[in-house]
Amino acid sequence: MSGVGEPLTRVLLSDQVYTRVRGLIVNGDLKAGDRLVEAEIARDLGVSQAPVREAVKRLVHEGLADHIPRRGSFVADVSSQDADAARAVRVIIEEFAARAVAERADPESVEALRAQVRDMREAAEAGDIGRFRDADIAFHRILCEASANPFLSRIWSLMEPSLRALRVVSDPMFTGDWAEMAVQHGVLLETLESADADRAAAAFAAHARGDEGVLHHGHGHGHGHGHGHGHG
């Protein structure tokens, strides 16, 4: 095989390995704490370790796996009790932030939020869940920063690593329509631009709880799988 063909083949293989292993995690065949042994996966799938390594890196970026230096990569373990506790605080933070931003939304913040919605749409089209999560989390971070309350953005920055790790924001196990989730964020942005503080606060609180049907035309994407809610 020529050198020109190799990288492309490896990328395609990596995509296939990623899809296979991700499916095993989402379906529960691979359980929390299970070690992702690259050599074994490569042998089972009849490929070299390089595409497996790339696929596992992608799963780590998505939050479906954790990498522990000198020990390897493992299927991520998420405490539902911790997730529920973090979600309850997130609802309060976002409701407060949305109310503040709707009352005095500045064009710069609105444009920054719109850019993240665009990123989510593009990531959904590309099937890039890691990029979608980055844009989704950035959207909610920018909301808190735009509130003009320095303590609110400080609380968010303290909580953000836990919100990501506990999948309270942008759950990578979501089995629904990622493109529709991007649309939901566009709807959230519209509530901020409406200058109706009560409507914006209610919409963001519902979104943080996972009650997506409250936002518009009855789609309940907050209940796409066993984790129940808190996807975006």
Side-chain angles (χ1 to χ4, degrees):
M1 182 181 285
S2 71
V4 173
E6 267 182 85
L8 178 60
T9 306
R10 196 166 68 244
V11 167
L12 293 173
L13 277 176
S14 174
D15 284 348
Q16 290 170 38
V17 173
Y18 159 80
T19 300
R20 183 80 61 88
V21 178
R22 189 180 199 281
L24 292 172
I25 294 172
V26 172
N27 294 332
D29 296 315
L30 281 171
K31 306 268 189 289
D34 283 355
R35 190 169 176 218
L36 300 173
V37 183
E38 292 173 6
E40 284 181 15
I41 295 170
R43 189 168 61 247
D44 290 346
L45 297 180
V47 298
S48 71
Q49 286 192 47
V52 177
R53 196 172 303 119
E54 287 164 27
V56 170
K57 272 186 193 167
R58 193 167 161 189
L59 291 165
V60 169
H61 179 59
E62 280 186 19
L64 287 177
D66 294 322
H67 180 72
I68 302 171
R70 294 185 296 283
R71 284 191 57 205
S73 297
F74 300 81
V75 177
D77 190 8
V78 174
S79 159
S80 58
Q81 198 174 352
D82 286 352
D84 287 345
R87 185 176 294 109
V89 176
R90 179 194 172 191
V91 170
I92 296 165
I93 292 171
E94 296 220 30
E95 186 174 9
F96 187 92
R99 184 178 297 282
V101 173
E103 285 171 354
R104 51 176 178 280
D106 66 278
E108 197 176 320
S109 297
V110 168
E111 187 45 51
L113 289 164
R114 189 171 286 119
Q116 299 308 320
V117 174
R118 276 197 301 270
D119 257 11
M120 280 183 252
R121 285 188 175 132
E122 288 170 12
E125 284 172 21
D128 188 340
I129 309 308
R131 181 183 167 194
F132 190 104
R133 291 194 83 205
D134 288 343
D136 192 345
I137 290 167
F139 177 93
H140 295 283
R141 183 193 313 125
I142 291 164
L143 172 76
C144 290
E145 290 168 352
S147 71
N149 184 324
F151 290 95
L152 200 57
S153 50
R154 197 178 301 171
I155 292 167
W156 179 271
S157 65
L158 284 171
M159 286 194 64
E160 185 177 299
S162 298
L163 294 172
R164 180 188 278 272
L166 293 167
R167 303 171 188 166
V168 173
V169 179
S170 206
D171 188 345
M173 296 282 273
F174 178 56
T175 55
D177 186 346
W178 288 90
E180 177 63 22
M181 200 196 292
V183 170
Q184 294 278 2
H185 285 80
V187 174
L188 287 172
L189 180 54
E190 285 170 17
T191 69
L192 294 175
E193 292 181 285
S194 73
D196 184 336
D198 289 338
R199 180 182 166 219
F204 273 86
H207 177 75
R209 279 193 304 268
D211 306 335
E212 304 293 22
V214 173
L215 289 186
H216 74 137
H217 52 252
H219 285 298
H221 290 290
H223 305 277
H225 62 81
H227 284 277
H229 45 251
H231 297 299

